[in-house]
């Protein structure tokens, strides 16, 4: 009954409720909200009330007489759109269900449901989710005829196909940029993708990317449809505009061509998703596409202290390609950000965990603390240290380090050397071989199990293997021969040497074939190998890794309301904030990454650093190890250029007392 009464009241309150802009908004926001119309580019800096500004803009338009059905609100999550629309309803006191709000894919789906027959689809087309797309692509791979072991799996092909569509580049261009190891089979990949497109059309299917490409085709090829939607949407608001790809920006340009009341809201300084196809040029060259556009700056920051913003402003000022602006804090003076040089990644982990415990003893909640890093592998030592000290933490950048599939794969090879009767590890390694599934793996295991010498029995199991796996089992046996030889010769085989051989003899190729983010997984394994160099024996290493993994096994069932530190990549942390933020691994080659430096993406990496810094509200720690264990010995690591370019007075350097060695 309460819900019905609430709905009744909402429907019957007059729409002429006066909005108190002076009380609820600052002057910068008011200027955006009340602007009459035309092309608008709103550069909303971090923590400057972007959502509030967009919400009040929609409310103001409706209160000014614009029909909600003539407004289009494009966001990057449907949840964001629903929340904005809910706030608008509370502001104006009436229902606005007629307003079209949601993601590009959501709106594209709505449009295509009405007009798909114009593109040769039948009514009621189905949408493929990611898993469906992978399965269909696997079928297409099997039909291209040429059996090449390097042909990527469906998950990788899906990523290639998505980038091709959203960036509007050729397959060859995408391969060169993101998947160079597949350039030699570009023809096979193109053929598989052509079969994929044909099958989808024949089966009346669209994948997520088709919702955009077909939406654009529909608008371009049908003048009456294009004119209808261009007239219908008198006001178009696009949130997170810096994250749009080329295709999305072109769709917006088409449907805003008549009324030209487009409000693009975003922050060029937070454009960090080029790897997903986001096009920085969309926001940077907005004025070129709309010469009469009015540019607004939201610079009053409600999140961070003046000291944190001083550091952030000075960092991003080193980028050449940007809209110049400086964030201003409404907060009182706080403490300077801290720069913390540390001996290595282990001392870095020790420092962060000890400082977290200090904060807790001062009454600060673990929920108010986050540790951010450029790449997931950089959190490995920290995860281990947090577990040792029983500090609850939640990973936002993926699974816990030793729970990841590729890490468990490597460990399974090592475990069969130590315990040749480990059924689970044998089956896991065997199923990595192309052409071997559960049935064949079980048969081989049966041979191993009944043998008096399990490590010899694996070489006597080739007759069980199906013909399609004959060549691949040969590579596997070659690897096992090397691992067994080294283990038997010294009985003290270094785990790092074993990991290196596993990668060389097939597993690296396996990663490229199966995972779109193969390079990140390879870096994880390299980090594990570096970590393993601290151990004298294979047994000590694998035992410790197993204990670390097992110690977090029950956390899946833990109370979700419990306090915990957040560990996250900077990409995953965008849009979030914490009282205290640690940024770790601030070294050249780590942050910025090696790949970014090679591909001239330094400015995007600096934007990523800017995003990391502006997540902090009160306390900020910039940490970097000065050395790393490498194959050749201890390697010196330089602090990040993003630290070195900061002016004097932007931070306070902390010298850490050296604790006793852990091992």
């Amino acid at each position: 009954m309460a819900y019905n009464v609430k709905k009744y009241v909402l429907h019957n309150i007059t729409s002429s409720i006066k909005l108190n802009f002076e009380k609820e908004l600052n002057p910068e926001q008011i200027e955006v909200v009340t602007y009459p119309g035309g092309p608008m580019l709103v550069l909303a800096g971090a923590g400057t009330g972007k959502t509030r500004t967009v919400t009040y803009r929609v409310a103001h338009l409706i209160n000014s007489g614009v029909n909600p059905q003539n407004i289009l609100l494009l966001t990057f999550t449907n949840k964001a759109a629903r929340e904005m629309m809910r706030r608008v309803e509370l502001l104006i006191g009436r229902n606005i269900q007629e307003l079209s709000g949601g993601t590009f894919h959501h709106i594209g789906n709505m449009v295509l449901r009405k007009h798909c027959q114009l593109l040769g689809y039948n009514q009621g087309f189905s949408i493929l989710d990611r898993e469906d797309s992978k399965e269909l692509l696997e079928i297409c791979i099997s039909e291209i005829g040429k059996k090449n072991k390097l042909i990527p799996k469906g998950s990788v092909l899906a990523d290639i196909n998505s980038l091709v569509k959203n960036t509007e580049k050729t397959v060859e261009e995408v391969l060169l940029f993101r998947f160079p190891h597949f350039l030699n089979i570009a023809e096979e990949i193109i053929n598989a993708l052509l079969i994929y497109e044909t099958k989808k059309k024949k089966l009346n299917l669209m994948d997520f990317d088709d919702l955009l490409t077909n939406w654009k085709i529909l608008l371009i090829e049908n003048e009456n449809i294009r004119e209808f939607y261009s007239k219908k949407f008198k006001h178009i608001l696009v949130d997170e505009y810096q994250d749009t790809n080329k295709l999305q920006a072109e769709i917006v340009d088409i449907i805003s061509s008549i009324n030209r009341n487009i409000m693009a809201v975003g922050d060029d300084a937070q454009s960090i998703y080029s790897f997903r196809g986001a096009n920085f040029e969309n926001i940077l060259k907005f004025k070129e596409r709309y010469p009469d556009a009015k540019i607004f700056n939201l610079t009053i920051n409600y999140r961070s202290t003046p000291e944190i913003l001083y550091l952030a402003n000075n960092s991003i000022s080193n980028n050449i390609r940007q809209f110049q602006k400086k964030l201003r804090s409404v907060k009182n003076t706080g403490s300077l950000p801290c720069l913390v040089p540390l001996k290595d990644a282990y001392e870095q982990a020790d420092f962060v965990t000890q400082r977290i415990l200090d904060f807790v003893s001062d009454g600060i909640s673990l929920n108010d603390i986050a540790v951010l890093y450029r790449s997931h592998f950089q959190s490995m030592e920290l995860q281990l240290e947090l577990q040792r000290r029983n500090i609850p933490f939640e990973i936002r950048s993926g699974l816990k380090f030793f729970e990841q599939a590729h890490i468990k794969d490597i460990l399974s090879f090592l475990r069969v050397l130590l315990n040749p009767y480990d059924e689970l590890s044998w089956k896991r390694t065997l199923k990595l071989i192309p052409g071997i599934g559960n049935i064949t793996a079980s048969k081989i295991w049966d041979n191993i199990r009944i043998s008096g010498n399990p490590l010899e029995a694996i070489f006597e199991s080739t007759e069980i293997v199906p013909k399609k796996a004959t060549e691949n089992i040969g590579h596997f046996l070659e690897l096992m021969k090397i691992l067994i030889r080294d283990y038997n010769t010294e009985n003290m085989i270094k785990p790092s040497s074993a990991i290196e051989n596993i990668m060389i003899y097939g597993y690296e190729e396996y990663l490229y074939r199966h995972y779109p983010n193969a390079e990140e997984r390879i870096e994880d394994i390299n980090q594990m190998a570096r970590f393993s160099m601290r151990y004298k024996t294979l047994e000590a290493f694998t035992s410790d890794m197993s204990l670390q993994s097992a110690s977090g096994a029950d956390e899946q069932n833990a109370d979700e309301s419990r306090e915990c530190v957040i560990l996250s990549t900077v990409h995953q942390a965008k849009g979030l904030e914490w009282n205290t933020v640690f940024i770790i691994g601030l070294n050249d080659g780590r942050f910025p990454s090696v790949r970014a430096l090679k591909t001239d993406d330094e400015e995007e990496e600096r934007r990523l650093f800017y995003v990391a810094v502006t997540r902090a509200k009160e306390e900020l720690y910039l940490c970097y190890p000065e050395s790393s264990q490498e194959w050749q010995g201890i390697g010196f690591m330089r602090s990040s250029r993003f630290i070195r370019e900061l002016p004097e007075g932007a931070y306070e350097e902390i010298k850490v007392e050296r604790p006793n060695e852990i091992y």
Side-chain angles (χ1 to χ4, degrees):
M1 287 298 293
Y3 177 78
N4 291 333
V5 170
K6 185 177 179 181
K7 291 287 285 186
Y8 176 81
V9 172
L10 192 61
H11 276 290
N12 286 275
I13 294 178
T14 175
S15 64
S16 60
I17 292 177
K18 181 174 173 60
L19 300 173
N20 191 339
F21 294 141
E22 287 73 20
K23 182 180 178 182
E24 301 294 335
L25 305 172
N26 65 45
E28 291 178 342
Q29 294 168 334
I30 291 174
E31 188 181 6
V32 173
V33 168
T34 60
Y35 191 69
M40 304 166 62
L41 177 60
V42 182
L43 299 170
T48 58
K50 169 178 66 74
T51 300
R52 173 178 286 266
T53 304
V54 174
T55 300
Y56 269 80
R57 173 67 177 174
V58 174
H60 173 68
L61 289 173
I62 295 173
N63 258 13
S64 300
V66 178
N67 192 316
Q69 69 180 4
N70 297 131
I71 298 174
L72 173 62
L73 174 61
L74 290 164
T75 59
F76 270 76
T77 67
N78 288 317
K79 181 181 178 182
R82 288 193 300 270
E83 177 60 19
M84 287 185 190
M85 291 164 70
R86 185 189 69 82
R87 292 190 194 181
V88 171
E89 289 182 337
L90 291 174
L91 284 173
I92 66 175
R94 70 183 180 95
N95 194 286
I96 56 168
Q97 286 183 345
E98 311 99 309
L99 188 149
S100 297
T103 65
F104 279 87
H105 296 87
H106 174 73
I107 303 300
N109 178 52
M110 289 171 53
V111 172
L112 291 169
R113 291 290 171 193
K114 296 177 181 177
H115 311 290
C116 62
Q117 289 174 309
L118 293 172
L119 298 176
Y121 288 85
N122 297 322
Q123 286 293 340
F125 64 84
S126 299
I127 299 175
L128 295 169
D129 62 21
R130 178 76 175 182
E131 200 60 37
D132 295 331
S133 294
K134 285 161 52 179
E135 288 184 20
L136 186 57
L137 281 162
E138 292 284 354
I139 293 171
C140 298
I141 292 169
S142 67
E143 293 182 13
I144 61 174
K146 186 174 180 179
K147 301 295 181 184
N148 189 318
K149 66 179 180 179
L150 287 176
I151 291 286
K153 302 293 283 185
S155 56
V156 181
L157 275 184
D159 259 41
I160 294 171
N161 190 52
S162 185
L163 279 172
V164 166
K165 290 187 173 180
N166 288 297
T167 62
E168 298 186 326
K169 295 178 186 279
T170 65
V171 171
E172 289 90 345
E173 287 172 328
V174 167
L175 293 180
L176 183 63
F177 174 63
R178 284 288 303 278
F179 303 92
H181 36 279
F182 291 132
L183 274 169
N184 63 319
I185 54 165
E187 185 179 344
E188 288 87 346
I189 290 174
I190 291 169
N191 289 339
L193 295 181
L194 287 173
I195 296 170
Y196 177 63
E197 294 301 321
T198 303
K199 280 186 180 293
K200 281 189 299 176
K201 195 72 171 282
K202 184 178 179 181
L203 298 170
N204 205 37
L205 302 170
M206 292 190 201
D207 60 27
F208 278 4
D209 299 310
D210 292 327
L211 297 176
L212 299 185
T213 55
N214 286 337
W215 184 10
K216 179 186 172 184
I217 292 168
L218 177 73
L219 295 172
I220 289 175
E221 294 183 352
N222 298 274
E223 184 178 354
N224 58 329
I225 301 294
R226 180 171 68 251
E227 186 175 332
F228 171 79
Y229 285 104
S230 296
K231 286 181 177 178
K232 172 182 170 63
F233 296 126
K234 294 180 179 178
H235 287 271
I236 300 171
L237 300 88
V238 187
D239 191 21
E240 303 287 6
Y241 190 76
Q242 79 280 351
D243 294 334
T244 55
N245 58 44
K246 189 171 185 288
L247 182 54
Q248 290 165 331
E250 288 172 346
I251 290 170
V252 171
D253 289 346
I254 293 170
I255 56 179
S256 65
S257 59
I258 292 179
N259 292 300
R260 301 188 76 255
N261 290 321
I262 172 177
M263 185 171 102
V265 185
D267 184 8
D268 59 299
Q270 297 187 74
S271 178
I272 58 173
Y273 293 114
S274 64
F275 68 96
R276 293 182 188 168
N279 191 341
F280 182 60
E281 302 294 325
N282 290 345
I283 193 167
L284 201 65
K285 296 184 176 179
F286 186 85
K287 187 79 173 174
E288 291 182 18
R289 302 203 313 282
Y290 297 92
D292 56 335
K294 168 78 171 174
I295 297 180
F296 301 83
N297 284 298
L298 301 184
T299 60
I300 301 174
N301 179 282
Y302 296 91
R303 177 187 297 156
S304 305
T305 62
E307 290 76 13
I308 291 171
L309 293 186
Y310 178 75
L311 188 149
N313 287 330
N314 276 283
S315 175
I316 201 65
S317 68
N318 289 282
N319 273 8
I320 296 171
R321 305 183 73 230
Q322 65 165 315
F323 292 100
Q324 293 287 343
K325 58 185 176 298
K326 284 192 175 181
L327 297 183
R328 299 171 288 153
S329 177
V330 299
K331 288 190 168 186
N332 294 326
T333 296
S335 57
L336 279 173
C338 296
L339 176 66
V340 192
L342 295 142
K343 178 183 175 184
D344 53 26
Y346 310 104
E347 187 174 80
Q348 178 178 253
D350 182 73
F351 168 79
V352 172
T353 50
Q354 185 56 55
R355 197 71 191 94
I356 288 171
L357 290 173
D358 293 341
F359 280 124
V360 171
S361 66
D362 291 339
I364 294 175
S365 169
L366 289 175
N367 293 335
D368 291 329
I369 303 172
V371 184
L372 307 181
Y373 34 84
R374 173 64 180 83
S375 301
H376 187 47
F377 78 85
Q378 292 175 293
S379 68
M380 186 190 77
E381 295 85 359
L382 179 60
Q383 289 183 45
L384 294 174
E385 191 62 27
L386 288 169
Q387 285 184 185
R388 286 192 187 106
R389 301 204 191 189
N390 294 316
I391 300 174
F393 64 95
E394 178 184 330
I395 306 287
R396 293 278 178 85
S397 53
L399 294 170
K400 289 189 176 181
F401 192 86
F402 293 103
E403 292 173 359
Q404 298 176 105
H406 49 291
I407 298 300
K408 294 177 78 171
D409 287 344
I410 296 293
L411 288 174
S412 67
F413 279 99
L414 305 182
R415 285 179 180 137
V416 297
L417 292 176
L418 293 165
N419 176 17
Y421 291 100
D422 183 341
E423 177 182 358
L424 294 178
S425 293
W426 269 119
K427 286 184 176 178
R428 187 179 187 100
T429 58
L430 289 166
K431 286 189 288 186
L432 295 173
I433 304 169
I436 292 182
N438 287 321
I439 295 175
T440 305
S442 294
K443 289 180 179 178
I444 295 175
W445 161 247
D446 286 339
N447 263 16
I448 294 171
R449 178 175 54 82
I450 62 176
S451 168
N453 190 336
L455 290 178
E456 287 297 325
I458 184 64
F459 298 100
E460 300 166 3
S461 302
T462 51
E463 68 276 5
I464 301 172
V465 175
K467 195 171 184 180
K468 61 182 179 180
T470 303
E471 181 182 351
N472 297 314
I473 191 71
H475 296 309
F476 174 81
L477 294 177
E478 187 177 357
L479 167 62
M480 292 306 301
K481 189 180 295 183
I482 292 170
L483 294 177
I484 294 168
R485 180 200 65 199
D486 291 349
Y487 182 66
N488 287 337
T489 301
E490 305 173 28
N491 202 25
M492 291 282 285
I493 180 176
K494 294 289 185 184
S496 56
S497 300
I499 294 170
E500 184 179 17
N501 280 323
I502 293 165
M503 293 297 286
I504 291 172
Y505 286 89
Y507 192 69
E508 183 171 325
E509 181 183 302
Y510 171 87
L511 290 173
Y512 277 122
R513 185 169 176 254
H514 284 77
Y515 299 110
N517 64 339
E519 291 181 355
E520 294 176 20
R521 293 172 186 258
I522 290 169
E523 190 52 63
D524 284 345
I525 294 168
N526 288 339
Q527 182 69 4
M528 180 173 71
R530 286 190 286 266
F531 179 77
S532 74
M533 296 174 77
R534 307 179 75 193
Y535 294 83
K536 293 181 178 180
T537 67
L538 194 62
E539 185 173 14
F541 174 67
T542 54
S543 296
D544 204 11
M545 296 310 95
S546 297
L547 289 170
Q548 295 299 336
S549 181
S551 65
D554 294 332
E555 293 199 13
Q556 298 268 349
N557 302 316
D559 181 2
E560 290 186 4
S561 65
R562 81 191 195 288
E563 289 190 11
C564 61
V565 177
I566 297 300
L567 272 56
S568 176
T569 61
V570 183
H571 285 103
Q572 292 290 335
K574 185 174 175 291
L576 303 175
E577 59 183 41
W578 293 272
N579 184 76
T580 302
V581 170
F582 296 86
I583 308 174
I584 63 173
L586 282 166
N587 301 89
D588 271 356
R590 301 285 175 87
F591 198 165
S593 68
V594 170
R595 178 174 180 174
L597 296 177
K598 286 180 180 177
T599 55
D600 199 28
D601 285 336
E602 183 179 314
E603 292 211 345
E604 179 162 334
E605 290 287 298
R606 188 175 287 106
R607 294 195 293 270
L608 193 63
F609 178 67
Y610 174 84
V611 167
V613 167
T614 53
R615 299 311 94 199
K617 295 195 286 186
E618 301 288 342
E619 303 263 1
L620 176 65
Y621 290 82
L622 308 176
C623 305
Y624 70 94
E626 296 178 314
S627 65
S628 172
Q629 180 74 56
E630 303 295 338
W631 304 108
Q632 300 83 6
I634 300 296
F636 173 75
M637 295 206 298
R638 198 179 190 194
S639 63
S640 170
R641 62 196 61 197
F642 302 149
I643 292 174
R644 301 197 307 272
E645 67 195 11
L646 291 171
E648 188 175 346
Y651 56 81
E652 173 189 4
E653 185 168 337
I654 294 178
K655 296 293 184 183
V656 175
E657 293 183 13
R658 305 294 185 200
N660 294 329
E661 293 294 332
I662 297 173
Y663 293 112

